[in-house]
Amino acid sequence: MYWDREAETMDRGKLESIQVERLRETLRRARKSPYYGKLFRDAGIEPEQVNSVDMIKAIPFTTKDDLQAHWPYGFLAVMKDEVIRMHASSGTTGRSIVVFHTASDIAGWTDVLARSIYMAGMRKDDVFQNMMSYGLFTGGLGFHYAAEKVGALVIPAGAGNSKRQIQLMRDFETTVIHIIPSYAIHLFTVFGELKVDPKKDTKLKMAFIGAEPHSEKMRKKIEEFYGIKAYNSYGLSEMNGPGVSFECPAQSGMHIWEDHYVVEVIDPKTLTPVPDGEEGELVLTTLMREGMPVLRYRTKDLTRIIPGQCECGRTHRRIDRIKGRTDDMMILKGVNIFPLQIEKKLMEIPGVGTNFVIILEREGNEDSMVVKVEVQKEYFAGDLKQLENLRKRIVEELRSDILITPKVSLIEPGGLRSTEGKAVRVIDNRKE
Ligand code: ADP
Ligand code: ZN
């Protein structure tokens, strides 16, 4: 049941001593990059003196802006001929950033992601369909090599082309898929059009869902529709990609692999640590990377450490599902709102579909919010009064939660643009 029992279940004392050793080595390597070389000289940081993980706090945070400002080679800590691959973030926010990997980096990443998917239950006899983009995005190649390492039959389907995806699933009896949650939901309609019932007509048993925030309700919808278990997978290009943190069969938070990363959670305003259990911004340091170590990286992702031991016996701590990014928080009439909050509320209302988009407008000095959401087909076929009642109910439910009265418009299933990549949840038309 363990990919690497020793690494996954070692006691905290041992884990910490490994972290200190790897941190020292990471800092020695980082010092060779132009960016950290200068930073260490200016701040008087001596890798050799590091004898506790806590000493990491002496190092300034690294941000996405730093990575962009020193694009492309400012963080490279090895000779260019040591690099065997590069990836870039999908650029959800701002310009993309680039990450370079040596052969050992790729091996380390592949192993920790193999550990993750094995933990969730993937085995050699599985057929794995990777429905993620195979470009610079890490979800394609990252998962591809990890699944091969586990020994599964890998179908490198790539993103999009929904009908063909379903055909592949049936022809080759796919048992495990890797898919963006909003795309998994989008496929509901396509299965319907093809009159294919994933529960009866496929051999699917498991999905890895990640790359974008989603609620517990959304997971449940996916699990019910496909008749599978769906495991949350978290990662970001700056930290390799997927394999940073992953759910075990207990589905009670994602183990974050502390032999590969130092984990901190900070208050994004004061930049001071928050206690376990409290929400804050996740800050990560690579411990296994030689090509491009990244130290105290501010992920902008909001989560919390889940206190206590997991029933599965793994000693690596767990983080809660990502609530959103500090930069996707909307401020409307002084109220802070996250897209996930809206999603959660919408999912609780019967008849409401899973696709939605939030549009922010400004007229004069007045901000307003429009929520467009798909609802079940029956509502459009029947009594229009029923449709109007549903609309009113959605307005009411949202208002009680976010304290703002949104305009709500109801859309037929499949009517909202659904890309094969990460879902666009917010369109802010307030900016000039
Ligand atoms: P970009 O920052 O351009 O989107 P990445 O493709 O590296 O580039 O995406 C990483 C980001 O995706 C994370 O920082 C996080 O915001 C989001 N993300 C990844 N996995 C999850 C997940 N399981 N739940 C919520 N958000 C996720
Ligand atoms: Zn566990």
Side-chain angles (χ1 to χ4, degrees), residues 215-217 339-349 356 401:
S215 57
E216 184 61 35
K217 277 254 155 56
L340 204 62
Q341 244 178 301
I342 309 263
E343 179 191 306
K344 242 172 149 173
K345 255 295 106 37
L346 290 174
M347 296 302 103
E348 282 167 10
I349 307 170
F356 69 96
D401 192 51

Side-chain angles (χ1 to χ4, degrees), residues 383-397:
D383 187 356
L384 280 183
K385 210 158 153 208
Q386 213 190 345
L387 191 68
E388 180 53 18
N389 286 343
L390 180 63
R391 201 190 60 78
K392 281 193 187 135
R393 166 141 190 227
I394 296 174
V395 173
E396 223 11 75
E397 298 265 353

Side-chain angles (χ1 to χ4, degrees), residues 37-238:
K38 178 170 186 315
L39 189 84
F40 285 16
R41 275 193 307 278
D42 293 351
I45 292 163
E46 294 286 346
E48 286 70 22
Q49 287 174 359
V50 170
N51 56 22
S52 75
V53 179
D54 218 41
M55 286 174 82
I56 202 173
K57 296 202 174 87
I59 304 168
F61 294 107
T62 303
T63 63
K64 197 167 206 132
D65 288 344
D66 296 326
L67 293 177
Q68 284 171 346
H70 300 271
W71 186 92
Y73 298 120
F75 280 79
L76 188 62
V78 294
M79 303 297 283
K80 267 189 218 158
D81 65 357
E82 295 295 317
V83 174
I84 63 159
R85 203 199 295 169
M86 61 171 273
H87 277 286
S89 87
S90 55
T92 308
T93 50
R95 205 169 89 194
S96 76
I97 54 98
V98 61
V99 178
F100 298 104
H101 301 275
T102 64
S104 139
D105 293 338
I106 294 291
W109 174 22
T110 304
D111 191 66
V112 80
L113 184 51
R115 181 200 288 180
S116 308
I117 58 186
Y118 191 90
M119 166 174 76
M122 191 155 103
R123 295 291 181 271
K124 199 176 172 309
D125 57 359
D126 276 307
V127 178
F128 174 67
Q129 188 164 329
N130 194 9
M131 300 164 71
M132 292 274 183
S133 150
Y134 268 68
L136 291 164
F137 178 59
T138 54
L141 286 173
F143 259 88
H144 183 96
Y145 287 109
E148 280 190 357
K149 186 156 185 186
V150 169
L153 165 59
V154 180
I155 308 178
N161 208 341
S162 307
K163 289 188 175 149
R164 182 146 173 271
Q165 296 280 7
I166 294 169
Q167 190 67 47
L168 284 169
M169 273 176 211
R170 300 188 71 188
D171 289 352
F172 301 100
E173 306 195 322
T174 300
T175 54
V176 184
I177 53 175
H178 177 213
I179 189 165
I180 292 184
S182 56
Y183 186 58
I185 299 269
H186 169 70
L187 282 187
F188 290 9
T189 342
V190 187
F191 273 102
E193 281 164 21
L194 296 176
K195 300 203 167 37
V196 176
D197 177 355
K199 285 207 251 330
K200 288 202 218 97
D201 307 325
T202 76
K203 293 271 190 313
L204 291 178
K205 59 178 195 200
M206 199 189 317
F208 304 135
I209 53 173
E212 65 182 14
H214 55 281
S215 57
E216 184 61 35
K217 277 254 155 56
M218 189 135 164
R219 182 234 294 272
K220 284 268 142 47
K221 283 207 172 184
I222 294 171
E223 290 191 328
E224 276 160 26
F225 181 80
Y226 291 90
I228 56 171
K229 282 273 172 211
Y231 295 99
N232 198 353
S233 155
Y234 169 79
L236 61 162
S237 316
E238 297 86 329

Side-chain angles (χ1 to χ4, degrees), residues 119 247-253 255 310-314 318:
M119 166 174 76
E247 265 181 335
C248 71
Q251 289 187 320
S252 56
H255 288 284
C310 183
E311 62 184 56
C312 75
R314 290 178 182 82
R318 289 162 299 158

Side-chain angles (χ1 to χ4, degrees), residues 272-291:
T272 52
V274 304
D276 280 10
E278 260 178 48
E279 197 178 270
E281 179 181 344
L282 188 65
V283 171
L284 296 170
T285 298
T286 63
L287 286 179
M288 292 292 278
R289 258 203 343 227
E290 47 179 45

